[in-house]
Amino acid sequence: MSEKIASVNVGCISSRKLKWFAWGTGGLIVFIGLLVFVVFLVLHPSKPSFNLEDVTVYQFNVSKAPPYAITIIMQVTLSSRNPNSRIGVDYQPLHVYATYRDQQITMAYLLPPTYQGHKEPVVWSPPLTGYDMPISPYSQQSLDQDWHTGVVLMNIKLQGDVKWKVGTWISPKYHLYVHCPANIRLGDLNNGGPNLIKGQPVDNCDVEIAS
């Protein structure tokens, strides 16, 4: 009888130790997670900066009669820099496309997931194409005026999700919106050939991050 009681006591003690060990391990993990989160809040990450480095248009055709449409083949080069010295940026798949007067004129190009370390730059050079992309009559009239002026203002837009990374801790997703205006000078047709136009970035890209 005493042997049975002893074995029961040993079993109870062992189960208690396992429970305390599990609770201790779980508490330690939660503490470390909270500590990293507090550090993240204290560091207060700055949003990455973006620049439109180059725009090359290889083909640009506009229909002159309804239904109005644009056909364009182009390639852009975008660069990004992480200004944070202790926080990494984890870019989820990003979509890049071109617009004219808030109307999308190219298909969205999907950029692969990319991790950007501390103070690191990243460069993407996606091709953007749009075949017979419809535009409104109002946009066609504005485009016709721009065509005669010799300069067409386009916008290169990038959208997607990003996460911040501090050590092994990764934040929830945030929405990234990047807007880069560029002037397409049609007068360059005579200098670069019939199917080559060099665009000129107008200003620094506008970057917004929202939860």
Side-chain angles (χ1 to χ4, degrees):
M1 180 67 66
S2 60
E3 293 180 357
K4 290 183 179 180
I5 295 175
S7 62
V8 171
N9 290 336
V10 171
C12 291
I13 294 173
S14 299
S15 62
R16 289 176 183 175
K17 287 183 177 179
L18 289 174
K19 288 181 180 180
W20 281 109
F21 178 77
W23 278 102
T25 303
L28 181 62
I29 293 175
V30 171
F31 173 76
I32 294 175
L34 289 175
L35 181 62
V36 173
F37 180 68
V38 170
V39 172
F40 170 77
L41 294 178
V42 171
L43 293 175
H44 190 66
S46 300
K47 59 187 179 183
S49 60
F50 281 78
N51 285 308
L52 182 60
E53 304 291 346
D54 182 74
V55 179
T56 301
V57 180
Y58 299 98
Q59 183 177 345
F60 189 14
N61 299 323
V62 182
S63 60
K64 299 298 182 180
Y68 301 112
I70 290 178
T71 294
I72 187 169
I73 300 175
M74 62 193 302
Q75 185 169 15
V76 301
T77 300
L78 289 162
S79 66
S80 170
R81 183 177 180 275
N82 177 14
N84 300 288
S85 59
R86 295 181 178 88
I87 301 176
V89 183
D90 187 11
Y91 295 99
Q92 305 299 299
L94 302 175
H95 295 84
V96 184
Y97 58 93
T99 65
Y100 174 75
R101 293 191 176 272
D102 294 326
Q103 287 195 268
Q104 187 172 335
I105 58 174
T106 70
M107 302 297 292
Y109 186 90
L110 184 63
L111 297 175
T114 304
Y115 176 75
Q116 188 175 38
H118 314 152
K119 298 289 185 178
E120 282 187 355
V122 174
V123 179
W124 300 279
S125 294
L128 302 179
T129 58
Y131 297 97
D132 293 327
M133 300 292 287
I135 58 173
S136 67
Y138 170 77
S139 295
Q140 195 281 333
Q141 293 178 3
S142 299
L143 183 58
D144 189 56
Q145 295 175 0
D146 294 342
W147 196 279
H148 285 90
T149 303
V151 179
V152 175
L153 177 63
M154 292 186 183
N155 291 289
I156 308 302
K157 295 188 177 182
L158 184 148
Q159 294 183 8
D161 295 326
V162 297
K163 294 181 179 181
W164 308 106
K165 185 175 181 181
V166 181
T168 58
W169 181 83
I170 300 178
S171 74
K173 288 183 180 180
Y174 290 82
H175 301 296
L176 172 69
Y177 303 94
V178 181
H179 169 227
C180 305
N183 279 328
I184 309 300
R185 299 189 177 277
L186 303 178
D188 294 341
L189 286 170
N190 297 328
N191 300 325
N195 292 323
L196 178 61
I197 311 172
K198 297 296 290 185
Q200 180 181 3
V202 176
D203 202 350
N204 293 332
C205 299
D206 181 56
V207 182
E208 295 182 12
I209 294 181
S211 57

